[in-house]
Amino acid sequence: MNQNYYDYVYVAICNLKLFSGKQLNLLKDLGLVLNHREFIECIMNDYDFNYVLSKTTIPNIKRTIDSINSIRENIRRILDYADIICEDTSEKEIFLISTESDEYPFHWKLISGMPNVFFCIGKKSILKKCNTNGAVAIVGSRYPSQYSKDVTREFTAEITNKDVVVVSGMALGIDGIAHATTLQNNKSTIAVVPGGCDVVYPHQNYDLYQRIIEDGLVISELIPGTQIIKQYFPSRNRLIAGLSDCCMIMEAGASSGTLHTASFAANQGKNVYVLPNTIYSTNSLGGLALIRDGAKILLNTNEVIDDIAKNVYERLSLYPELLDDFVEAEEQKNEEYYSPVTHNLREYNSKKIPEIKSKLNISPELVTNEEFKIIIKDILTGKSKCMDELIRLLPINLGKLSIILTEMEISGEIYSDGENYCSL
């Protein structure tokens, strides 16, 4: 049986409420399986979980034993249901991502309670872009003030100019504005929806939904066709927060669902930025309360961009395997690729600087990574700069800059003294 098909079998089991993610985690903690696919393989091969589980002293273990027995008794029903889900997703051009997929969000791997399997429609590559370029959640009221609308458009445009992925919930108001502004800038956005990823909600956003599945990505942990109920919204909001490096609250009332996203982000150890608004509007009381409780005040995008840049740099430094796809794409995009060895010669570099600066002004998209390294070394010669200063001085996105700085630090061309980078 195909390993990818195991993903559909697992989804079928969970949707028939025969097993849960918590029970799978119990098996993983006991060392019985590594992941959901291995669990399905053990089921198909009649592995005797019951004998091992009955020897444990964990409370309520009988419920898990009963669940596994129920799965075995209903295996034909499960496989039939898995076939239906598989056929439905294929017809609707929906694809499934699991923890064993290369595209599974790196952010989610570090957070408990994230789905083992989820559904997508649109551009799969955007998920990897969250790793290398960074992602920000931009959320807020369904019926925002004109002030919040204007600032959302302005700040979203500034952030997406750095090629950061914008994540939101495709709701009316702030969410829709964030998605639409990102698409207008020809950048990447992810809509996390509270129903099946083929279910348009709200219906007023039908045109926006069509644009997102064409140029962005729509994701959901619920099977296709699942209709929206209010209990799904908090779960959706935890996924929005989980995909992002930080969270921007543009407007929120005292009982707004947006506060759930802020709470999830804070609990995940991420910074929450809140746009300050008038105390006379009930629609801004939730955001003001977040500021009172310690959220950062959103006055401009500088701190947000710096926050994302630091997260991206740290992520790529600790997990260099995330660089592979990005570097490959950059090399394919550039017609000319220069060897780092060739371009480490200071004399040659100094002659190239005026030419590269001219190219930066006229056609920055044609500047190669190695040429950026020459300019960065020139900028850092005799003076240190932080990531935020470099991003302001160079026409480059955060993901690409982080990769270049990582490569330069590894090769010994520059070093970091904590906040700043210095040239050797």
Side-chain angles (χ1 to χ4, degrees), residues 3-145:
Q3 284 283 314
N4 291 329
Y5 183 67
Y6 287 164
D7 296 340
Y8 289 95
V9 177
Y10 178 75
V11 169
I13 289 172
C14 291
N15 276 273
L16 291 170
K17 302 192 184 307
L18 298 173
F19 206 67
S20 69
K22 287 184 178 180
Q23 289 174 310
L24 177 65
N25 288 337
L26 171 62
L27 298 184
K28 290 163 69 174
D29 291 342
L30 291 172
L32 298 178
V33 297
L34 291 175
N35 50 56
H36 67 283
R37 286 185 179 177
E38 191 169 291
F39 170 66
I40 300 301
E41 187 170 13
C42 288
I43 291 291
M44 302 304 293
N45 292 325
D46 292 325
Y47 176 81
D48 189 4
F49 284 109
N50 293 356
Y51 175 78
V52 179
L53 293 176
S54 64
K55 301 297 181 183
T56 69
T57 58
I58 298 174
N60 302 319
I61 197 68
K62 185 178 184 303
R63 183 179 175 184
T64 299
I65 294 174
D66 290 343
S67 295
I68 292 173
N69 290 337
S70 182
I71 291 171
R72 296 192 193 282
E73 292 166 2
N74 289 277
I75 194 64
R76 187 65 262 165
R77 177 186 170 208
I78 292 168
L79 294 178
D80 288 344
Y81 189 26
D83 289 340
I84 292 171
I85 298 171
C86 187
E87 183 177 346
D88 187 38
T89 55
S90 178
E91 288 177 356
K92 296 176 179 177
E93 298 185 342
I94 294 170
F95 51 91
L96 188 152
I97 301 290
S98 80
T99 52
E100 305 314 297
S101 305
D102 290 340
E103 294 80 11
Y104 189 85
F106 181 80
H107 297 73
W108 285 1
K109 293 180 180 180
L110 307 180
I111 305 169
S112 62
M114 293 295 109
N116 289 299
V117 177
F118 64 98
F119 298 88
C120 308
I121 183 168
K123 291 187 174 180
K124 185 190 299 186
S125 60
I126 294 176
L127 289 169
K128 287 187 175 181
K129 202 170 183 181
C130 291
N131 300 332
T132 56
N133 291 40
V136 60
I138 302 180
V139 292
S141 170
R142 286 173 170 77
Y143 305 102
S145 64

Side-chain angles (χ1 to χ4, degrees), residues 307-325:
D307 189 3
I308 297 169
K310 288 175 182 175
N311 283 334
V312 171
Y313 180 72
E314 180 179 320
R315 189 158 56 242
L316 297 181
S317 299
L318 292 175
Y319 305 94
E321 64 272 16
L322 298 175
L323 292 170
D324 295 343
D325 295 309

Side-chain angles (χ1 to χ4, degrees), residues 233-247:
F233 284 87
S235 293
R236 181 276 303 269
N237 293 342
R238 92 188 192 285
L239 300 184
I240 292 174
L243 275 174
S244 309
D245 289 295
C246 60
C247 179

Side-chain angles (χ1 to χ4, degrees), residues 166-352:
V166 168
V167 184
S168 198
M170 211 182 78
L172 293 175
I174 296 298
D175 292 23
I177 292 170
H179 289 306
T181 304
T182 304
L183 294 171
Q184 287 165 8
N185 282 4
N186 297 315
K187 301 300 183 180
S188 301
T189 189
I190 297 176
V192 187
V193 294
C197 62
D198 57 334
V199 176
V200 181
Y201 179 86
H203 68 274
Q204 296 97 317
N205 277 347
Y206 177 81
D207 289 343
L208 176 62
Y209 172 84
Q210 293 298 327
R211 291 168 61 197
I212 295 175
I213 64 174
E214 182 71 26
D215 297 315
L217 184 69
V218 175
I219 72 174
S220 173
E221 63 181 326
L222 302 166
I223 64 169
T226 301
Q227 297 301 307
I228 285 80
I229 58 175
K230 70 177 183 178
Q231 287 89 338
Y232 293 150
F233 284 87
S235 293
R236 181 276 303 269
N237 293 342
R238 92 188 192 285
L239 300 184
I240 292 174
L243 275 174
S244 309
D245 289 295
C246 60
C247 179
M248 292 167 56
I249 307 296
M250 308 308 293
E251 186 171 306
S255 58
S256 171
T258 299
L259 302 181
H260 289 138
T261 309
S263 177
F264 284 122
N267 288 333
Q268 293 164 7
K270 298 168 182 176
N271 284 328
V272 176
Y273 297 85
V274 179
L275 180 70
N277 212 320
T278 173
I279 62 172
Y280 298 110
S281 170
T282 57
N283 222 26
S284 63
L285 295 182
L288 293 173
L290 288 174
I291 293 174
R292 178 198 63 202
D293 294 339
K296 292 177 176 286
I297 300 176
L298 182 62
L299 298 178
N300 54 54
T301 59
N302 295 344
E303 193 174 357
V304 175
I305 291 172
D306 192 34
D307 189 3
I308 297 169
K310 288 175 182 175
N311 283 334
V312 171
Y313 180 72
E314 180 179 320
R315 189 158 56 242
L316 297 181
S317 299
L318 292 175
Y319 305 94
E321 64 272 16
L322 298 175
L323 292 170
D324 295 343
D325 295 309
F326 189 94
V327 171
E328 182 181 346
E330 287 298 309
E331 290 180 10
Q332 290 175 354
K333 189 167 63 177
N334 293 319
E335 293 181 0
E336 193 174 12
Y337 180 71
Y338 298 97
S339 162
V341 176
T342 304
H343 287 266
N344 276 341
L345 301 175
R346 288 185 182 273
E347 182 179 353
Y348 181 79
N349 288 352
S350 63
K351 293 178 182 178
K352 292 282 289 183

